[in-house]
Amino acid sequence: MLSKFRNETLYKMGMVQKFHAFYFNKVIEARLVDRFLTPRKGETIGDIACGMGRHSIRIAREGCRVFGLDQSRRNVEIATRCTQGLDCQFVIGTAERLPFASESFDRVVCVCSLEHFENDRAALKEMNRVLKEGSVL
């Protein structure tokens, strides 16, 4: 009885709808990354504002080497634990000052983060700097 009451209460509060909307958005994000990034085995990919490494994991499973960056120490620690056994490395930093050499990556991905950067133009310039010529952002 308590379980039924709790589920009805959550439903009335809109929690169920919010969860479904959140999950649906994450599925769409993943499909868009797959569609437009098209990572190829052996490529080196930069995942800027990688969060807890959700996209890094998917990309590394395609046989790519992934370097993720996030400004949150907690996110970097979680991503590192979640990607053990995959070719992923994570660092703490900001998108406006990427700690990677110029022309380091075959592709760079940055999902749902640009609007959160302090200086989006500087972040885009940095992402372009670390891309190899003719690569995909």
Side-chain angles (χ1 to χ4, degrees), residues 78-95:
I78 291 169
T80 300
R81 283 195 306 267
C82 290
T83 58
Q84 288 181 357
L86 296 172
D87 196 0
C88 294
Q89 294 179 19
F90 298 93
V91 296
I92 299 167
T94 65

Side-chain angles (χ1 to χ4, degrees), residues 13 15 17 22 26 35 48 50 52 70 74 80 85 99 102 107 110 113:
M13 290 172 50
M15 299 295 282
Q17 292 92 334
F22 174 79
K26 296 304 173 191
R35 180 177 175 192
I48 310 305
C50 64
M52 293 182 237
D70 200 90
R74 180 176 177 269
T80 300
S102 297
R107 299 170 194 278
C110 178
S113 301

Side-chain angles (χ1 to χ4, degrees), residues 106-124:
D106 297 299
R107 299 170 194 278
V108 168
V109 62
C110 178
V111 180
C112 296
S113 301
L114 192 60
E115 69 274 16
H116 301 290
F117 299 148
E118 215 171 283
N119 185 335
D120 54 355
R121 286 184 181 211
L124 286 170

Side-chain angles (χ1 to χ4, degrees), residues 2-86:
L2 180 61
S3 176
K4 182 179 179 185
F5 173 75
R6 185 179 305 167
N7 288 340
E8 288 175 5
T9 303
L10 289 174
Y11 186 79
K12 287 177 184 175
M13 290 172 50
M15 299 295 282
V16 173
Q17 292 92 334
K18 288 178 184 176
F19 173 77
H20 286 276
F22 174 79
Y23 180 77
F24 181 72
N25 287 339
K26 296 304 173 191
V27 168
I28 289 182
E29 282 176 14
R31 287 182 181 169
L32 289 171
V33 168
D34 290 346
R35 180 177 175 192
F36 292 108
L37 187 68
T38 60
R40 296 183 188 104
K41 187 175 183 173
E43 288 185 323
T44 303
I45 311 291
D47 186 359
I48 310 305
C50 64
M52 293 182 237
R54 190 167 43 87
H55 295 296
S56 297
I57 291 167
R58 292 173 56 83
I59 296 165
R61 286 183 178 157
E62 296 291 323
C64 298
R65 183 170 197 191
V66 181
F67 290 86
L69 173 130
D70 200 90
Q71 66 181 7
S72 164
R73 178 177 305 280
R74 180 176 177 269
N75 282 349
V76 167
E77 289 170 356
I78 291 169
T80 300
R81 283 195 306 267
C82 290
T83 58
Q84 288 181 357
L86 296 172

